[in-house]
Amino acid sequence: MKPFDYARADSLATATRDGAVPGARFIAGGTNLLDLMKLQVETPDTLVDISRLDLGEIEAREDGGLTIGALVPNSDLAADARVIQRYPVLSRALLAGASGQLRNKASTGGNLLQRTRCYYFYDPATPCNKRDPGSGCSAIGGENRILAILGTSDQCIATHPSDMAVAMRALDAVIVTRKPDGDRRRIAIGEFYRLPGATPEIENVLERGELITHVELPPAPRGRQTYRKVRDRASYAFALVSIAGIVAVEDGRIASARLAFGGLGPMPWRNEAVEQALVGQAPSDTAFNAAANALLADAKRYGSNDFKIPLTRRTLIATLRELTQEG
């Protein structure tokens, strides 16, 4: 591991000031960053420790939603009674991710920012445009079984690995930040992540030194919620395909639908056309297949990950059957 300086922040002001210095990285739980540092994928000059900041609470909002501090551990968020009751899709997504030990250390803000699990990103001996811009993409034409089929470019086909972020995308979460000059931003999660395009190394809209402080959840949406994750083994594996689904059925027809997907794209994926294909329809495999057609219309095959296309269709149909069944 490359030597680095260490600074412990005692306020948001010092954290964002120190984090704005070129070569600095924020660290809280460190469950992803430290692994990347050991592999020389991340080589920060300074680590700014934000773990002692007062960002570890979950608070009720006047509108009926919740405000979640960036340092709330994933295990605490999954176990919060309000989350279990009002946002079960989020609790289930959190419990589907990582191991118990990791969930105890991983933070809400860090989970949103974790890096892709593309094999080539983790191997500095191979070209990777995300790790080393302009070097090439080893995954295209290489081992890409776990990688993306939606939102890719000829520069990168990496996936975003978070389960939590997929549920938050379905819930229309808002990410709150603080900049070094003291300004705050409220960023809809649908506008937070960037597609790879020609600059896959830029993964989100955060500016240098800008720190995630909270995540806001709107009031719980109507309808039944679930999180379904398909992976290679029952625990400690990233999603091949995951779905955060929230569907309301009224008078025998689908009144509203929210569907976000993991394991398919470079960000928690959501496509309004998929939801529009369902609203107003009576629950049926015909309607569910129409939604799958909308989702997969632009899917690209890269060889080893071709199986994700039929797998996604089957998983989506099974999820929609679960969410719309009577009783």
Side-chain angles (χ1 to χ4, degrees):
M1 185 183 293
K2 172 190 166 186
F4 57 88
D5 294 327
Y6 172 83
R8 178 177 292 169
D10 57 11
S11 68
L12 287 176
T14 58
T16 52
R17 180 198 65 197
D18 294 345
V21 175
R25 295 282 191 279
F26 295 119
I27 188 168
T31 55
N32 186 208
L33 179 59
L34 292 179
D35 284 344
L36 294 171
M37 290 174 64
K38 293 173 186 174
L39 294 169
Q40 301 285 314
V41 175
E42 291 268 12
T43 55
D45 296 321
T46 303
L47 286 184
V48 181
D49 184 350
I50 61 170
S51 62
R52 307 296 175 90
L53 300 182
D54 186 20
L55 299 173
E57 300 296 324
I58 305 171
E59 299 175 333
R61 295 168 51 81
E62 290 184 358
D63 64 1
L66 292 178
T67 297
I68 304 162
L71 296 179
V72 173
N74 286 179
S75 53
D76 289 2
L77 185 58
D80 186 275
R82 294 162 294 187
V83 173
I84 293 172
Q85 181 179 15
R86 302 179 206 166
Y87 310 99
V89 64
L90 177 57
S91 181
R92 292 173 185 173
L94 285 159
L95 293 175
S99 65
Q101 286 179 312
L102 286 170
R103 289 195 294 270
N104 287 339
K105 289 295 293 181
S107 63
T108 300
N111 192 310
L112 292 169
L113 298 175
Q114 63 180 304
R115 310 294 302 276
T116 182
R117 263 56 178 187
C118 176
Y119 307 127
Y120 301 102
F121 177 73
Y122 276 77
D123 182 0
T126 62
C128 171
N129 288 321
K130 185 181 286 294
R131 172 173 33 78
D132 184 13
S135 62
C137 177
S138 300
I140 298 176
E143 176 49 56
N144 49 49
R145 182 174 181 273
I146 65 172
L147 298 181
I149 58 174
L150 295 171
T152 59
S153 74
D154 59 4
Q155 300 288 307
C156 184
I157 60 172
T159 50
H160 191 272
S162 172
D163 292 289
M164 183 195 77
V166 176
M168 286 189 170
R169 183 78 196 270
L171 291 167
D172 288 330
V174 174
I175 297 167
V176 184
T177 70
R178 175 179 164 129
K179 295 182 179 182
D181 63 5
D183 283 353
R184 291 183 176 275
R185 282 207 290 173
R186 298 178 71 255
I187 308 167
I189 192 169
E191 299 173 357
F192 182 75
Y193 296 104
R194 290 178 45 145
L195 292 174
T199 55
E201 74 279 11
I202 304 173
E203 298 175 345
N204 56 62
V205 300
L206 289 179
E207 300 173 6
R208 180 182 294 172
E210 188 172 11
L211 177 68
I212 295 175
T213 60
H214 300 86
V215 175
E216 295 175 352
L217 294 183
R222 58 178 175 166
R224 187 177 293 174
Q225 303 181 22
T226 194
Y227 186 77
R228 185 178 291 239
K229 180 176 181 179
V230 180
R231 48 189 164 179
D232 283 327
R233 58 180 185 270
S235 66
Y236 203 75
F238 294 92
L240 297 171
V241 178
S242 67
I243 302 176
I246 306 169
V247 174
V249 178
E250 296 176 359
D251 300 326
R253 295 192 177 273
I254 297 172
S256 64
R258 299 175 181 216
L259 296 162
F261 301 84
L264 301 182
M267 63 176 66
W269 197 258
R270 191 169 173 186
N271 181 342
E272 290 184 359
V274 181
E275 299 166 6
Q276 290 170 356
L278 293 166
V279 173
Q281 303 296 316
S284 69
D285 281 0
T286 299
F288 302 160
N289 269 299
N293 290 340
L295 174 66
L296 297 168
D298 296 323
K300 293 185 178 180
R301 304 168 185 267
Y302 290 94
S304 300
N305 68 354
D306 292 359
F307 75 99
K308 282 194 174 187
I309 293 176
L311 176 63
T312 300
R313 179 179 296 277
R314 294 196 300 271
T315 305
L316 176 57
I317 290 173
T319 301
L320 291 171
R321 285 173 178 165
E322 174 189 347
L323 288 170
T324 58
Q325 66 185 359
E326 295 182 358

